Amino acid sequence: MAQPQSNRVWILRLLTALAGLGLVIGVEGLLRFVPGLGPAPLVVARAEQGGKVLHAVNRFYSQRFFFGQQGRLAAAGQMAERSFIKPAPANLYRVVFVGASTVQGFPHPRRLAAASFLEAMLQDALPERTVEVFNLGITSIASFAVAQVVADALVLEPDLVVVYTGHNEFYGIYGVGDYETPRYNRLDYALRQLHLAQLVQGAADYFDGSGSSTDLLKLMAQRGEVPVDSARRRAAEVHLRENVRQIAKTCQSVGVPLILCTLAANDAGFAPVGSSAVALGGAPGRQWSERMEGAAVRLTGDYVAVEVAEEALVLLDQAAALSAEHAWLWYLRGRALARLDRQDEAHVAFRKARDLDTMPWRAPTAHSEIIRSQARESGAILADVEAAFAAAAPPQGGGWQWAVDHVHFSVPGQALLARVILGSLGELASNTRPQLDLTLLRKDDEYRRQLGDVPAERVILHRKMADMLREKPMDLYNAHNARYLQQLTAMEWQRLVPAEQSGIKAWSQQDKQISLALTVADQLFEQRDFGRAQQYYHAARLETPFTRRGDLWATVQWAWSIKMQGRPFTDVQREAMQSTLERAGFLAQDPAIEPPFIDFTKGHLHHLLGEHGPALVHLERAFLDSDFRRKYAMSLFHALAAELLRAGRLQDAQRYAHMAGEGNGRGEYFLQLVEAPK
């Protein structure tokens, strides 16, 4: 009798489990009808105008990877919101560039990321095509998440996929710090995309505050060190290999060419974050520490004389004789050898320091070898970024000339990354290879001007990086680098004109929703420094298109900056203004943007383009809105007065001048514009 009873118990348990599973499935099915609850899609529709639909890469898409992490990273939600219009041009060549913060362009504005340089260069090399390069970089994600982005990015119907990944396998989201076995990442990700999971976690975050932001440094410190002989090192290699293989399969399944990039790092400049403890006790341990401290003091000053480097190298040799497997020792050795012009030896020492770093923010050198082998295995094209940066750098290895911290590129480094990728396109199969004319490429300085590389942003960049290197855990071995970056900050600050300095101060005191470039541009325009204002407004326009101030206001002010210099508009500049008029039509459907501001924008641009009929209609309509007039009379009336006088409406112009002066004491100024418009 015991056996049937036991069977009934197991049957009841099974039925209970199935009932629970059915309930979960039922609730999940119902929740799928709730709009906005599930994971954010990659692409969303924004507006429609004249048979064209404005779409955008959804900046909230990235939150699907940060959902439920231990303290959501401040980086969550920082994906670039790239807008595009459907139907696409028939001659379109579209590239998606996927990776983590290096691809995103951190710490630069996204307009200075390698994806932007690649788009500008490709457009030059493909003059008969319309080129779009989508920057799908997401801060701090590991290769597993990159593979998910590639799969989702196929909705964009790309002609080419470019992937740069491998630095975040230890501390990135879905790296080995989460799960050492890749299949658990897949299961975890799948479960977290359920609507029910989103609802439960959202409620938990709301009530207990677990959704509060933290930063990558704190998260990294919590995960701890990764010794060279640890299982996490081997697991990271397994993760990277499997995820890159999955990326290749995804692209092969739809016949889209794939470019895989090897990884470059700041070896000669950036010091290791962690170094293994010396396994010596008593007198040998004290001797090792004394020699290391003596070498460090000699090699981390602002200037290192040759004889001092020789003394330090002797101390390091003595320390290595006692214990040699320490990242800090090899980094110091690289500095000494570089100062002694033994560059090849220095290069070896710096790379060994990276591989021995027990807090590996920089990918170990083995990760690039994995990417090379996966490119060979899958038939993907290899962009050997590591080799290209090594060739461009001094013999001892890449340093601060190409990087701003440990792995993130400087603006020249971003341009070089783009050129390496562009050069690899020649390896594509003939049926997928665009007909590039590389003789049409320009110098990097010209692309930097085109993309809005402005001095004020370099001050903030160096300051931000110096602050980062003073925080734990970076501060242990990088104090000399923090000091160096602080000196660069001071030097860049002294090169700025007072209006640029005032713009930085104003931006630092606000909520930073408005870009630094736009804040500085407004200061320069107010001081009538129209040449510099033009450069900064141009940068602001590129940084935040399809926005009220970063696009519409910036374009109007940019155009006026050119006009106030007494220069005629070029064909390219007139085309940019016409393009903004089209964007204003889409933005008119945004309820957050008041209609008078759309009229203000259209009126000014039509006025500057010499299109007087529509200019007067829009300017007058904006002016007659009393609230808008009170806020923007100074910016609005100059163009309105000129158009009214041109139309022979002197009495209306005089009446409007009195209206513009009401409540601000500037009536005489506005009347002068009517009497003698400039």
Side-chain angles (χ1 to χ4, degrees), residues 25-259:
I25 293 172
V27 172
E28 175 68 18
L30 291 173
L31 290 176
R32 301 224 167 189
F33 290 100
V34 179
L37 182 59
L42 180 65
V43 174
V44 291
R46 293 296 192 206
E48 184 175 357
Q49 176 184 238
K52 296 180 179 180
V53 181
L54 176 67
H55 289 76
V57 170
N58 186 3
R59 65 190 179 94
F60 296 111
Y61 166 83
S62 61
Q63 291 182 349
R64 61 175 57 206
F65 301 111
F66 296 84
F67 178 77
Q69 298 295 327
Q70 52 181 110
R72 293 184 190 172
L73 299 182
Q78 288 187 353
M79 194 173 193
E81 191 175 84
R82 169 67 182 260
S83 298
F84 60 102
I85 294 173
K86 288 185 176 181
N91 64 344
L92 178 66
Y93 187 76
R94 179 175 287 169
V95 180
V96 295
F97 197 164
V98 188
S101 54
T102 302
V103 170
Q104 187 189 78
F106 177 87
H108 308 286
R110 294 183 186 95
R111 68 178 187 277
L112 296 174
S116 300
F117 280 98
L118 181 60
E119 181 173 279
M121 293 173 183
L122 269 174
Q123 190 61 77
D124 282 350
L126 293 170
E128 304 302 319
R129 305 287 294 271
T130 298
V131 175
E132 292 178 347
V133 178
F134 283 74
N135 183 338
L136 301 186
I138 301 175
T139 300
S140 71
I141 60 172
S143 60
F144 171 82
V146 171
Q148 305 307 308
V149 178
V150 169
D152 291 338
L154 296 182
V155 72
L156 292 167
E157 299 179 345
D159 297 288
L160 176 68
V161 173
V162 181
V163 171
Y164 184 98
T165 188
H167 278 304
N168 289 339
E169 300 310 292
F170 300 101
Y171 298 111
I173 299 301
Y174 284 106
V176 294
D178 291 328
Y179 301 102
E180 292 189 11
T181 303
R183 66 174 176 270
Y184 291 130
N185 272 337
R186 292 190 288 273
L187 177 61
D188 177 84
Y189 179 75
L191 291 175
R192 292 188 187 280
Q193 306 317 301
L194 295 176
H195 289 54
L196 181 59
Q198 299 267 331
L199 178 64
V200 171
Q201 185 63 49
D205 287 350
Y206 178 81
F207 287 109
D208 67 18
S210 64
S212 59
S213 293
T214 183
D215 56 37
L216 189 56
L217 285 176
K218 293 177 182 177
L219 181 63
M220 181 176 173
Q222 291 172 5
R223 290 187 178 178
E225 297 194 37
V226 186
V228 175
D229 58 353
S230 71
R232 287 175 63 190
R233 295 266 179 168
R234 296 187 294 275
E237 294 180 5
V238 172
H239 273 228
L240 182 60
R241 185 176 293 106
E242 291 198 10
N243 293 326
V244 172
R245 184 179 292 130
Q246 182 58 48
I247 289 169
K249 288 180 179 178
T250 297
C251 293
Q252 288 168 353
S253 69
V254 292
V256 177
L258 169 66
I259 293 178

Side-chain angles (χ1 to χ4, degrees), residues 603-659:
H604 273 288
L605 293 178
H606 283 303
H607 169 72
L608 291 164
L609 288 166
E611 299 166 351
H612 303 292
L616 180 54
V617 170
H618 289 291
L619 289 169
E620 190 169 18
R621 188 186 298 160
F623 182 83
L624 291 175
D625 184 287
S626 58
D627 290 337
F628 190 81
R629 182 173 65 246
R630 278 193 293 271
K631 289 187 290 185
Y632 289 95
M634 293 295 295
S635 299
L636 181 58
F637 192 74
H638 188 291
L640 175 60
E643 293 295 347
L644 286 167
L645 292 173
R646 183 181 182 86
R649 296 172 56 186
L650 176 60
Q651 290 183 342
D652 286 335
Q654 292 172 336
R655 179 165 58 90
Y656 288 168
H658 286 290
M659 292 170 63

Side-chain angles (χ1 to χ4, degrees), residues 512-560:
K512 300 181 178 58
Q513 293 299 310
I514 298 173
S515 72
L516 172 64
L518 182 55
T519 305
V520 174
D522 286 340
Q523 292 282 336
L524 289 163
F525 192 90
E526 184 178 330
Q527 296 300 316
R528 303 185 66 82
D529 189 344
F530 299 119
R532 287 189 178 86
Q534 177 188 344
Q535 297 172 18
Y536 279 88
Y537 281 126
H538 171 68
R541 291 176 56 244
L542 297 177
E543 184 62 19
T544 50
F546 288 94
T547 61
R548 179 183 182 276
R549 284 187 57 81
D551 188 350
L552 303 186
W553 169 263
T555 301
V556 168
Q557 294 298 94
W558 166 77
W560 273 110

Side-chain angles (χ1 to χ4, degrees), residues 175-451:
V176 294
D178 291 328
Y179 301 102
E180 292 189 11
T181 303
R183 66 174 176 270
Y184 291 130
N185 272 337
R186 292 190 288 273
L187 177 61
D188 177 84
Y189 179 75
L191 291 175
R192 292 188 187 280
Q193 306 317 301
L194 295 176
H195 289 54
L196 181 59
Q198 299 267 331
L199 178 64
V200 171
Q201 185 63 49
D205 287 350
Y206 178 81
F207 287 109
D208 67 18
S210 64
S212 59
S213 293
T214 183
D215 56 37
L216 189 56
L217 285 176
K218 293 177 182 177
L219 181 63
M220 181 176 173
Q222 291 172 5
R223 290 187 178 178
E225 297 194 37
V226 186
V228 175
D229 58 353
S230 71
R232 287 175 63 190
R233 295 266 179 168
R234 296 187 294 275
E237 294 180 5
V238 172
H239 273 228
L240 182 60
R241 185 176 293 106
E242 291 198 10
N243 293 326
V244 172
R245 184 179 292 130
Q246 182 58 48
I247 289 169
K249 288 180 179 178
T250 297
C251 293
Q252 288 168 353
S253 69
V254 292
V256 177
L258 169 66
I259 293 178
L260 295 173
C261 301
T262 56
L263 306 166
N266 183 357
D267 289 333
F270 187 82
V273 181
S275 190
S276 58
V278 61
L280 296 171
R286 289 192 297 274
Q287 291 173 2
W288 187 90
S289 297
E290 289 170 0
R291 284 157 177 74
M292 288 292 295
E293 290 171 7
V297 168
R298 288 169 170 80
L299 293 171
T300 56
D302 291 339
Y303 174 75
V304 180
V306 170
E307 58 271 18
V308 173
E310 290 174 340
E311 294 171 3
L313 190 58
V314 170
L315 292 173
L316 290 169
D317 285 340
Q318 294 171 350
L322 296 169
S323 183
E325 296 303 302
H326 304 272
W328 180 228
L329 184 151
W330 284 96
Y331 172 79
L332 291 173
R333 184 175 180 83
R335 286 178 68 89
L337 291 166
R339 185 64 185 90
L340 298 173
D341 203 27
R342 294 162 59 179
Q343 308 294 0
D344 291 341
E345 294 175 83
H347 177 67
V348 172
F350 283 131
R351 285 174 65 84
K352 185 159 186 177
R354 192 208 318 176
D355 284 340
L356 290 173
D357 192 343
T358 58
M359 297 198 81
W361 270 34
R362 300 168 295 181
T365 55
H367 286 199
S368 282
E369 291 305 318
I370 290 171
I371 292 165
R372 289 188 181 94
S373 68
Q374 288 305 303
R376 289 192 298 268
E377 176 185 307
S378 67
I381 303 303
L382 181 72
D384 202 339
V385 176
E386 182 183 51
F389 273 76
Q396 72 266 27
W400 297 109
Q401 69 274 45
W402 297 116
V404 296
D405 56 13
H406 52 302
V407 295
H408 299 111
F409 298 125
S410 61
V411 173
Q414 300 285 353
L416 178 55
L417 174 57
R419 287 190 185 274
V420 176
I421 294 167
L422 188 65
S424 69
L425 288 176
E427 301 299 318
L428 293 175
S430 57
N431 62 324
T432 58
R433 183 190 310 137
Q435 298 303 306
L436 300 172
D437 186 352
L438 299 182
T439 65
L440 298 176
L441 295 182
R442 293 169 283 154
K443 295 181 179 179
D444 285 358
D445 285 347
E446 295 182 55
Y447 288 115
R448 290 174 65 173
R449 283 193 293 272
Q450 176 182 334
L451 298 175

